[in-house]
């Protein structure tokens, strides 16, 4: 009587009461899963016929060796529960599967069979790609904290912090750039009944706020790069001797925020591109001419688009270009005079110096002869001599020295002298300063101990002394 309700496979006579596959084209053809997988054919039955799965929900998916005796119906309820409640909510999943299963049994069975079992090894790859957007990464979403990552605090005193309104632990200022930027999002709230227009409007507010934060941080980075805070506090000159490469320094609330009591003073006293030269010790030191200073002021708007190193290299390359242009003009002048070799240029310069010396001596002699006559006649002679010197300076064009530093400090006669001696303006100013200082010390009875530069030989020294004596800078006894 116990076998009346059982079903058997027509091919292997195995018990298929719990699970069998019935042919929809043939009558009374029911196969076990093993014969169905092997493609068994009996009589008119063919393996490509249609099939219908018939089960009572009491068979096991993992075979008799699986622990717990989980039936197919329980497996289906377990998969439905994991989809509905999520991984880890084992109590609700156990209640969904049935009262016969505890939360511990549900967890052990799912982890053992579906994750660490053969099914998990076949379906779950060894390395799972991360498809989740990390909103905290530097290039992440609008809530990324990296948008305003604070820089290392400034090394300034407490009094200077109070002067700037600087908070070192936050790297913030009491008055920031666009101080009211937080009002864009301070009143935002996401409600369940918001329509699409309201949601997009709130997203636009967040986007505007993020843009303002980025602009605020960009201004701080520029101030650090160009070392504006020490320049504002007047510390850049004091620290020149002990300076060292640094990552940068912050910006006062006036510069960053564009407001406050010292905002106008900071913005005007510390223009971008004219301070912070001590930040880049790799750039060779040289005296900046007045023209270059004016050019830096005109182009300081580029500081917000260029790093400090790039800005300094830009002006250094412009200086090199001016020097090269002056050298090219000098070589073109040699070529116009028929000189094609550098050895011949030395002879040409020596001959030109002799001619200029003769003209200069002639003009000086005329001025001396004119000094014994009437004041009016003497003034005319002196004016004629000066005019001849100026005309000679114009003829020489000062092409060799006009782009060198210190050129604007020379008189017309001194320009002619430096051109004739092939001496740079700054070297001439140095020699002139030393000679006049020694002369004044000797007149006061103080022994002069200063040394002339090594590049000054006897011939150059004698010519400069004669020039200074004739110009009235020093007396003839001293020369």
């Amino acid at each position: 009587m116990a076998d009346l309700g059982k079903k058997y496979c027509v091919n292997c006579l195995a018990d298929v009461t719990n699970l069998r596959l019935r042919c929809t084209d043939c009558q009374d053809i029911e196969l076990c899963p093993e014969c169905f997988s092997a493609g068994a054919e009996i009589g008119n039955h063919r393996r490509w016929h249609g099939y219908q799965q018939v089960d009572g929900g009491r068979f096991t998916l993992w075979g008799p060796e699986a622990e717990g005796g989980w039936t197919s119906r329980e497996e289906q309820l377990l998969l439905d529960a994991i989809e509905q409640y999520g991984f880890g909510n084992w109590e609700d999943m156990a209640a969904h599967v049935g009262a016969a299963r505890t939360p511990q049994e549900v967890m052990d069975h799912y982890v053992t069979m579906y994750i660490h079992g053969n099914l998990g090894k076949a379906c779950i790859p060894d390395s799972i790609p991360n498809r989740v957007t990390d909103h905290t990464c530097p290039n992440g979403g609008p809530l990324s904290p990296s948008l305003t990552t604070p820089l290392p605090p400034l090394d300034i005193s407490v009094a200077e912090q109070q002067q700037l309104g600087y908070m070192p632990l936050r790297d913030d200022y009491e008055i920031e750039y666009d101080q009211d930027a937080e009002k864009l999002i301070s009143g935002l709230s996401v409600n369940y009944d918001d329509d699409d227009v309201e949601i997009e409007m709130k997203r636009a507010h967040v986007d505007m706020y993020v843009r303002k934060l980025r602009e605020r941080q960009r201004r701080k980075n520029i101030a650090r790069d160009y070392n504006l805070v020490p320049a504002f506090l007047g510390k850049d000159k004091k620290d020149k001797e002990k300076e060292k490469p640094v990552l940068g320094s912050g910006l006062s609330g006036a510069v960053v925020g564009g407001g406050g009591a010292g905002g106008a003073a900071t913005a005007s006293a510390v223009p971008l591109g004219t301070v912070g030269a001590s930040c880049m010790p790799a750039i060779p030191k040289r005296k900046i001419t007045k023209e270059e200073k004016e050019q830096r002021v005109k182009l300081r708007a580029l500081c917000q688009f260029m790093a400090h190193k790039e800005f300094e290299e830009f002006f250094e390359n412009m200086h090199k270009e001016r020097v090269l242009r002056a050298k090219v003009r000098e070589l073109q002048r040699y070529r116009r005079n028929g000189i094609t070799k550098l050895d011949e240029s030395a002879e040409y310069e020596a001959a030109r110096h002799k001619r200029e010396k003769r003209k200069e001596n002639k003009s000086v002699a005329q001025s001396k002869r004119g000094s014994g006559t009437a004041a009016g006649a003497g003034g005319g002679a002196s004016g004629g001599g000066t005019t001849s010197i100026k005309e000679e300076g114009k003829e020489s064009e000062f092409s060799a020295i006009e782009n060198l530093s210190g050129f604007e400090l020379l008189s017309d006669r001194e320009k002619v002298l430096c051109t004739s001696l092939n001496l740079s303006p700054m070297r001439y100013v140095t020699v002139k300063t030393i000679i006049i200082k020694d002369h004044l010390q000797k007149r006061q009875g103080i022994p002069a101990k200063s040394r002339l530069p090594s590049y000054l030989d006897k011939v150059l020294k004698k010519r400069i002394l004669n020039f200074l004596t004739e110009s009235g800078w020093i007396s003839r006894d001293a020369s």
Side-chain angles (χ1 to χ4, degrees):
M1 294 296 292
D3 297 338
L4 291 178
K6 290 186 176 183
K7 298 291 184 178
Y8 298 94
C9 177
V10 296
N11 185 50
C12 65
L13 302 179
D15 186 4
V16 292
T17 305
N18 293 332
L19 177 63
R20 56 191 180 276
L21 295 149
R22 179 183 299 168
C23 181
T24 58
D25 297 335
C26 305
Q27 295 183 356
D28 300 331
I29 297 296
E30 295 179 342
L31 300 175
C32 63
E34 289 78 8
C35 295
F36 169 76
S37 300
E41 296 180 348
I42 301 174
N44 295 328
H45 174 70
R46 294 294 178 264
R47 60 177 177 272
W48 59 79
H49 288 177
Y51 292 91
Q52 179 183 4
Q53 179 179 341
V54 181
D55 68 273
R58 296 186 298 274
F59 68 95
T60 60
L61 292 178
W62 312 105
E65 67 278 1
E67 296 181 358
W70 284 66
T71 63
S72 60
R73 188 171 297 278
E74 289 176 330
E75 298 285 356
Q76 185 176 2
L77 293 173
L78 175 62
L79 296 178
D80 293 340
I82 199 72
E83 182 178 1
Q84 180 178 354
Y85 298 107
F87 183 84
N89 196 355
W90 306 114
E91 294 183 358
D92 293 340
M93 292 170 60
H96 186 81
V97 172
R101 299 296 178 184
T102 63
Q104 185 65 32
E105 290 179 344
V106 173
M107 182 186 69
D108 295 340
H109 180 73
Y110 185 81
V111 172
T112 302
M113 296 301 175
Y114 289 93
I115 296 180
H116 299 302
N118 294 330
L119 183 61
K121 295 178 181 178
C123 298
I124 302 176
D126 296 335
S127 58
I128 303 176
N130 186 11
R131 298 185 179 91
V132 180
T133 302
D134 185 5
H135 293 281
T136 63
C137 62
N139 297 323
L143 301 180
S144 173
S146 60
L147 296 176
T148 56
T149 302
L151 298 171
L154 296 175
D155 185 14
I156 56 180
S157 63
V158 178
E160 293 169 342
Q161 293 177 8
Q162 295 176 354
Q163 179 184 359
L164 298 175
Y166 177 67
M167 295 172 283
L169 298 181
R170 294 169 51 90
D171 192 44
D172 286 339
Y173 300 87
E174 294 179 0
I175 300 178
E176 294 279 359
Y177 168 77
D178 205 341
Q179 184 74 5
D180 299 332
E182 282 71 15
K183 291 183 178 179
L184 288 170
I185 61 171
S186 60
L188 291 183
S189 62
V190 180
N191 304 319
Y192 69 93
D193 56 346
D194 290 343
D195 54 16
D196 294 340
V197 177
E198 292 176 343
I199 293 176
E200 292 300 326
M201 183 66 68
K202 293 176 180 179
R203 288 179 177 175
H205 279 218
V206 173
D207 182 64
M208 288 188 290
Y209 175 66
V210 169
R211 290 174 183 268
K212 293 179 182 295
L213 288 184
R214 287 176 175 170
E215 177 63 19
R216 184 181 296 174
Q217 187 65 29
R218 187 184 71 86
R219 290 172 176 250
K220 289 184 180 180
N221 293 337
I222 291 176
R224 291 257 175 153
D225 191 17
Y226 284 88
N227 205 17
L228 296 187
V229 166
F232 174 72
L233 297 174
K235 296 173 60 178
D236 53 341
K237 297 181 179 179
K238 300 177 182 178
D239 298 340
K240 274 187 177 180
E241 296 181 358
K242 54 182 180 179
E243 66 184 0
K244 57 183 180 179
V246 293
L247 294 177
S249 54
L251 183 61
S252 67
V255 178
V256 178
T266 306
S268 60
V270 192
L272 291 179
T274 59
V275 297
S278 60
C279 293
M280 303 303 301
I283 301 298
K285 299 293 183 179
R286 60 179 177 84
K287 184 175 179 60
I288 299 178
T289 61
K290 181 180 179 181
E291 291 77 5
E292 184 173 343
K293 290 181 179 179
E294 295 176 354
Q295 194 173 25
R296 282 173 177 263
V297 174
K298 293 179 181 179
L299 298 178
R300 65 182 178 183
L302 298 177
C303 293
Q304 58 180 324
F305 308 110
M306 303 172 64
H308 180 256
K309 182 178 179 181
E310 296 175 348
F311 192 76
E312 292 296 333
E313 289 178 351
F314 172 70
F315 280 97
E316 190 67 25
N317 292 334
M318 292 181 64
H319 172 71
K320 293 179 181 178
E321 180 187 3
R322 288 192 294 269
V323 174
L324 290 176
R325 286 180 179 271
K327 188 65 176 177
V328 169
R329 286 195 294 268
E330 181 182 3
L331 295 177
Q332 290 175 348
R333 182 167 57 87
Y334 289 159
R335 180 60 61 88
R336 288 194 300 268
N337 289 276
I339 299 173
T340 58
K341 296 181 180 180
L342 291 178
D343 298 339
E344 298 175 355
S345 64
E347 300 178 1
Y348 170 78
E349 289 294 336
R352 187 169 66 87
H353 292 166
K354 293 180 180 179
R355 291 196 304 270
E356 292 176 354
K357 182 63 177 177
R358 287 196 298 268
K359 291 181 180 179
E360 184 178 353
N361 294 336
K362 183 179 180 180
S363 62
V364 172
Q366 291 176 356
S367 63
K368 287 182 178 181
R369 287 195 300 268
S371 61
T373 61
S382 176
T386 305
T387 304
S388 64
I389 293 176
K390 290 183 179 180
E391 292 176 354
E392 179 62 19
K394 292 180 180 179
E395 292 176 359
S396 63
E397 297 180 357
F398 312 124
S399 59
I401 63 171
E402 63 181 354
N403 291 312
L404 300 180
S405 60
F407 178 78
E408 69 278 2
L409 303 176
L410 305 180
S411 63
D412 292 338
R413 294 186 62 189
E414 288 175 332
K415 293 176 183 177
V416 173
L417 177 66
C418 291
T419 305
S420 62
L421 297 179
N422 197 17
L423 189 66
S424 66
M426 290 308 302
R427 288 189 172 185
Y428 166 76
V429 171
T430 302
V431 175
K432 176 183 175 182
T433 304
I434 294 174
I435 293 176
I436 295 177
K437 182 180 178 182
D438 292 347
H439 173 65
L440 294 176
Q441 289 180 351
K442 288 180 180 179
R443 291 185 62 181
Q444 296 175 2
I446 302 174
K449 298 182 180 180
S450 58
R451 296 182 179 179
L452 292 174
S454 58
Y455 54 81
L456 190 69
D457 55 13
K458 294 182 179 180
V459 178
L460 293 178
K461 179 181 177 182
K462 185 176 180 181
R463 292 196 61 181
I464 294 175
L465 285 173
N466 292 336
F467 175 83
L468 296 178
T469 303
E470 294 168 357
S471 301
W473 289 99
I474 60 177
S475 61
R476 292 190 175 275
D477 297 337
S479 62

